[in-house]
Amino acid sequence: MERRMRQGVCLTLGIVIYFIVHEGAHALVAMHYGVLKKVNVMLMGIQVDVYHEQMTDVQMGLFCMASAVATLAVAWLLVLLRERICAVKSKYARALAWYVTLILLVLDPLYLSVLYGFVGGGDMNGIALIMPKMWATIGFALLLAVDIFAVVKWVYPSYKRSFAEQD
């Protein structure tokens, strides 16, 4: 029972952290350009709204790309620190780090390589202003493959071992 509670709490917090990193990157870029309109909190998450008519195509592209760069940078930092994280005694801290790493590694590359076409484009619409959509899609698909490899080869085994040793 305690394990299920830990998983649920940490998965939920992992999703919240994803939104903070992803939308936080959008917000920082929007504030840098002086085009932040508002932050919308909706049932499905958070959305940073900007005065897009005041932005150049390059600014809009960078605004949309910033979220993926931020999530992947934090994710890979967590991948690199996984052995130190797995040495932490708190099961909640390790579980949270596992879910955050997994979500940050996989979600944006999956969305920007496959799912964006089913939901109106989102960030890909802006990214397509600074590079061909096909290149971006292929690039994010390759990133997704690398990230899945990292999960299977490095991240999952480290966390699995840490929970087995400390149970």
Side-chain angles (χ1 to χ4, degrees):
M1 183 67 157
E2 192 261 333
R3 180 178 178 211
R4 292 284 178 217
M5 174 69 94
R6 182 176 61 240
Q7 289 172 334
V9 166
C10 292
L11 176 60
T12 302
L13 287 174
I15 293 166
V16 169
I17 290 169
Y18 165 80
F19 279 115
I20 291 169
V21 173
H22 181 99
E23 297 301 331
H26 284 315
L28 289 173
V29 172
M31 288 187 293
H32 173 73
Y33 291 134
V35 295
L36 180 63
K37 186 186 290 186
K38 63 181 174 176
V39 176
N40 298 312
V41 179
M42 304 172 295
L43 181 63
M44 293 301 292
I46 304 166
Q47 178 191 40
V48 173
D49 195 8
V50 296
Y51 296 103
H52 64 276
E53 64 279 352
Q54 297 176 14
M55 299 172 77
T56 67
D57 286 353
V58 171
Q59 289 173 329
M60 182 57 86
L62 294 174
F63 167 80
C64 291
M65 182 68 88
S67 57
V69 170
T71 58
L72 290 171
V74 173
W76 277 96
L77 179 63
L78 291 170
V79 170
L80 294 173
L81 295 174
R82 74 189 179 281
E83 294 302 329
R84 286 186 180 189
I85 295 167
C86 286
V88 171
K89 294 202 184 305
S90 169
K91 289 181 182 181
Y92 274 89
R94 283 183 283 135
L96 179 59
W98 157 250
Y99 284 115
V100 170
T101 304
L102 184 64
I103 291 166
L104 293 179
L105 273 177
V106 174
L107 199 55
D108 278 340
L110 177 63
Y111 173 72
L112 291 168
S113 63
V114 177
L115 301 177
Y116 73 87
F118 298 103
V119 291
D123 287 340
M124 183 56 82
N125 293 334
I127 294 169
L129 296 172
I130 58 173
M131 71 175 61
K133 192 180 282 189
M134 185 172 58
W135 289 10
T137 302
I138 291 169
F140 281 107
L142 292 173
L143 271 172
L144 178 60
V146 168
D147 290 353
I148 289 171
F149 176 83
V151 168
V152 171
K153 275 305 239 189
W154 303 318
V155 179
Y156 178 72
S158 293
Y159 281 94
K160 182 179 179 185
R161 185 175 54 252
S162 84
F163 278 101
E165 290 170 356
Q166 296 184 16
D167 269 345

